[in-house]
Structures are given as structure tokens and as C-alpha cells.
Amino acid sequence: MRIILDTDMAMGAPGSEIDDGFALALLLADDTFDVELVTSVNGNIDVESGTYLSVELLERLGRPEIPVVRGAAAPIVEPDRARSAPEEVRARFGHHKAAPGFAAAEIARRVLASPGEITIVAIGPLTNVAAAIALEPTVAGAVKEIVVMGGVFLGHTNVRRMPGEFNWWVDALAARAVLRSGAPVRLVGLDVTTKVRLTREHAATMAAGGRPFGEFAGECTIAWLDRLGREHPGDPEAGRSCAMHDPLAVAAISRPELLTWVPAHVDVVAADEVGRGVAITDLLTGHDAPPANATVATAVDVDAFMTYFLDRIAAL
């Protein structure tokens, strides 16, 4: 299966979020996939750092031939929110060079060159994907599928500061544009991703497994859990485990039977800061329901996913 991964990669930066890195590792560990391109986007980390870290991780995983193309530095209509890489990240990783070009244009070029063949796995804000469709609207009809880690459909974040799931909160207009594009979209949101969790015990097993990536990934996981524990001192669970949001979006393609899927019509609150990024989900139960524009994951077989995930990662 031909894949373009669009990501706000942070794994490798000290104490940074790790699930994007595990998603890329899982794509490379499963023979189901042929990863043709990685594109970077502003999100968990600035796009400059994310580009460096994507190149570095591909080299660490023995796949330096996969190109990384830099993408959007800010949400699609908010250029003032662009960020630069911290000096320590630039000093450590700045020798890693991206392939030439712009992510949105490269996504559009590759999808249009092979209609019906390329799946986009979007695990960061949807800025690049929306921009690719804006550059050439026929991308929406030419892509095989867009699998999105984003949104929450059966509940809420219950966080006033960030009412929508993070990726959709960062660029709500981009999320809305993708959903309204007519592209085939599969959505893997917090309803299921928060249930699949990597523990300190998992990390220790990885680190002690004698495999180069496992040692690195275990150390990164412990550093991330330590940070979560510090940042959420009132939550005793915060430093014990973390959700594998992005790897579950990968498993949604190779192991779709691990999730329960329902058709839905999904839109996004984009213009109202109070509800920025909130998904409005119609599960099509009414007689006057709008047509479905997405397929939404509503449940997950946690044990089966964790077995699949840990087995594949252990082999790297």
C-alpha cells in the first residue's frame, strides 16, 4: 500500500511527544506499507524541528532514501503563528536536510500522478493536506483515502483552553476544508486513541530488548512520561502511560478489523474561538440526516492492537 505520511514529528527532541515517531516506525515495520514520502507540518513542534527530526528518525530506522519535504509553518490562514526551531534543536539536528520543494505541492503531484493508489496518513494538523487540495481540487478525487488522526466524535476534550482535539484545534479551517472536499476520509480520534496506552513497563522492555530502535524509543518514552508527570502533578496516571494516538491511525489501515467503524457526517467549528476545532458529528440516525462524508472509529480492541504494535516495534 503506497503511503504519504504527513506528520508533526517530535520524537528525538528531549522530553517531546513520541507517538508520531512510533507511527512512522510502525509503517516501516509492517510489510503492508510502502512509504514513499514524509511531509512535515507545524503542530506539536515547529515545522523546522519536525523536518529535522523526521530525517533523523528515517536514518535511525535505516530508511534514509525516503524523502522528507518541509510543509506549512503555521495554520492555513494564520501565518503570524509560525515558529522557529529552538537553537539547541537546530544545533543538534540542523545538518539533516529536507528534499527540495513544498509539502502541499509534492502531495498533490504524487497523488495526481497515481490516481486511486496513494493513501495519505495525516497525523498532525491538516494544513498541508488542505493546501494540496486547494492547489488542485482534483486531489480529493484522486487520493485513495485520507486517514486522519484527529477529532473527538462521541465526546469532548473538556478543556476550555483547547476545546477541540489538538490537531483540529491547531488548524480548524484546514480540518473543515478536508472534510468538505469530497475526499474519502477515515477518522481515528480521541474516542479510541486514548484507550491504547504505552506504559513504563513497555518502555523498559523496549530499552532492554537489545535492538537499536527499541533502546532509543524506550528512552524517549520514559522522558515523555517524566514530562507528563511533571506537567500534571494532580493526575497520578499522567506519568505512568501515554496514548498511542498516531500508531492507531496506522493500524486502522493494516488492521481495520481492530476498530469499529460507523459512517458519519462530520464538520468542524472553525471560526469561533470558544469552540475552535470541535467536531460536529452526525451519526446518520435521523430520517433527514445529511450524507456521510467520513468513516469514524468508535471502538477499539485494545489488547489486539497492543500485541500488533509491540510485536512490530520489537522487530526493528
Side-chain angles (χ1 to χ4, degrees), residues 223-240:
W224 174 236
L225 291 174
D226 288 345
R227 177 179 168 184
L228 290 176
R230 292 192 302 269
E231 292 182 350
H232 302 277
D235 181 358
E237 295 300 318
R240 296 177 184 173

Side-chain angles (χ1 to χ4, degrees), residues 3-299:
I3 298 292
I4 293 175
L5 178 69
D6 189 65
T7 174
D8 51 343
M9 181 69 66
M11 182 184 254
S16 293
E17 196 156 356
I18 55 175
D19 58 322
D20 288 76
F22 276 120
L24 176 56
L26 186 57
L27 282 167
L28 299 180
D30 190 327
D31 291 340
T32 303
F33 304 113
D34 177 14
V35 180
E36 297 191 2
L37 174 70
V38 174
T39 52
S40 59
V41 67
N42 166 73
N44 285 317
I45 200 165
D46 65 274
V47 72
E48 183 182 1
S49 297
T51 305
Y52 298 150
L53 292 167
S54 295
V55 176
E56 196 273 341
L57 186 56
L58 284 166
E59 292 181 356
R60 183 181 293 275
L61 289 164
R63 296 298 302 276
E65 77 281 3
I66 297 174
V68 177
V69 176
R70 177 171 167 165
I76 203 160
V77 296
E78 298 175 292
D80 57 312
R81 293 180 65 186
R83 301 171 291 166
S84 299
E87 188 54 45
E88 60 269 24
V89 172
R90 188 178 291 118
R92 182 176 175 184
F93 300 107
H95 62 284
H96 294 301
K97 301 302 180 184
F102 300 94
E106 187 62 12
I107 290 170
R109 184 187 72 78
R110 287 179 181 249
V111 168
L112 293 175
S114 301
E117 295 184 15
I118 293 179
T119 297
I120 298 171
V121 181
I123 57 176
L126 288 165
T127 316
N128 291 334
V129 181
I133 294 170
L135 282 171
E136 180 44 74
T138 57
V139 167
V143 69
K144 181 177 181 180
E145 188 175 32
I146 303 173
V147 179
V148 176
M149 190 279 117
V152 52
F153 309 104
L154 306 181
H156 298 281
T157 64
N158 297 311
V159 178
R160 182 180 181 276
R161 178 186 60 82
M162 192 176 67
E165 177 275 327
F166 177 81
N167 289 339
W168 288 19
W169 175 81
V170 168
D171 199 341
L173 283 169
R176 170 180 278 189
V178 171
L179 287 166
R180 293 184 175 185
S181 70
V185 176
R186 198 167 351 171
L187 302 173
V188 182
L190 299 186
D191 309 288
V192 288
T193 65
T194 53
K195 297 176 182 178
V196 293
R197 308 192 68 83
L198 195 68
T199 66
R200 285 185 177 270
E201 291 73 21
H202 291 139
T205 300
M206 286 182 191
R211 307 287 291 186
F213 177 73
E215 182 178 359
F216 165 76
E219 291 173 355
C220 289
T221 301
I222 294 299
W224 174 236
L225 291 174
D226 288 345
R227 177 179 168 184
L228 290 176
R230 292 192 302 269
E231 292 182 350
H232 302 277
D235 181 358
E237 295 300 318
R240 296 177 184 173
S241 68
C242 56
M244 288 290 95
H245 304 288
D246 299 331
L248 188 59
V250 173
I253 314 170
S254 60
R255 299 289 188 276
E257 70 279 3
L258 298 181
L259 296 112
T260 300
W261 301 97
V262 298
H265 184 92
V266 182
D267 211 332
V268 187
V269 177
D272 186 347
E273 283 298 317
V274 174
R276 177 182 176 124
V278 170
I280 307 300
T281 309
D282 190 320
L283 296 178
L284 314 181
T285 56
H287 71 277
D288 59 347
N293 66 344
T295 305
V296 175
T298 59

